[in-house]
Amino acid sequence: KMDPYVKLKLGSVTFKTKTHDNAGKQPSWFDVFEFKRTSEELLELQVYDEDVVSDDLVGSANLPLANICVLNPVKFSDSVKLQYKGKDAGELYLEIDFYPDAQTGYQGGPGYGGY
């Protein structure tokens, strides 16, 4: 079974979820991360399978943030399709809350689960 984890990157800031040991192909995470968005346009997502020697990329996606902020300035909840070498590699369900800097000091806090 796979031991998956997710890396999220916004600009120069990267977060990593906990590894979900023996989770197979339908893991769930409920980690919460806070990013301060300045001019970044994409949230980069990568799902890996943790191995002893080296971790294998399972799939990745880029989520355009400008479209989300325009369409729904408060909350985004949807599945993002992952790709690996140009082929479908599953989905990652995300929940992202956006807050203006004046209220909380940051502009995005993605939490997510499963793919």
Side-chain angles (χ1 to χ4, degrees):
K1 287 190 171 186
M2 289 188 359
D3 301 319
Y5 65 88
V6 181
K7 280 188 180 179
L8 300 94
K9 182 177 180 186
L10 183 67
S12 62
V13 178
T14 301
F15 289 104
K16 176 187 171 291
T17 66
K18 297 173 186 145
T19 300
H20 201 305
D21 294 328
N22 294 315
K25 295 184 178 185
Q26 294 186 349
S28 293
W29 295 274
F30 298 97
D31 299 28
V32 174
F33 303 106
E34 292 182 6
F35 291 95
K36 179 172 175 60
R37 180 176 177 233
T38 53
S39 62
E40 297 85 4
E41 296 297 323
L42 293 174
L43 176 63
E44 300 174 40
L45 308 162
Q46 297 176 320
V47 177
Y48 286 90
D49 178 18
E50 187 174 82
D51 290 323
V52 175
V53 177
S54 69
D55 298 348
D56 300 318
L57 180 64
V58 174
S60 62
N62 290 323
L63 183 64
L65 297 177
N67 294 342
I68 295 169
C69 292
V70 169
L71 295 175
N72 190 346
V74 177
K75 188 172 189 93
F76 169 84
S77 299
D78 205 354
S79 294
V80 177
K81 293 186 183 296
L82 299 171
Q83 296 278 309
Y84 179 72
K85 295 185 177 181
K87 296 185 180 182
D88 289 342
E91 295 181 344
L92 187 66
Y93 178 76
L94 296 174
E95 290 184 6
I96 302 175
D97 294 320
F98 292 94
Y99 301 96
D101 281 339
Q103 287 181 347
T104 63
Y106 69 93
Q107 246 187 336
Y112 51 88
Y115 84 94

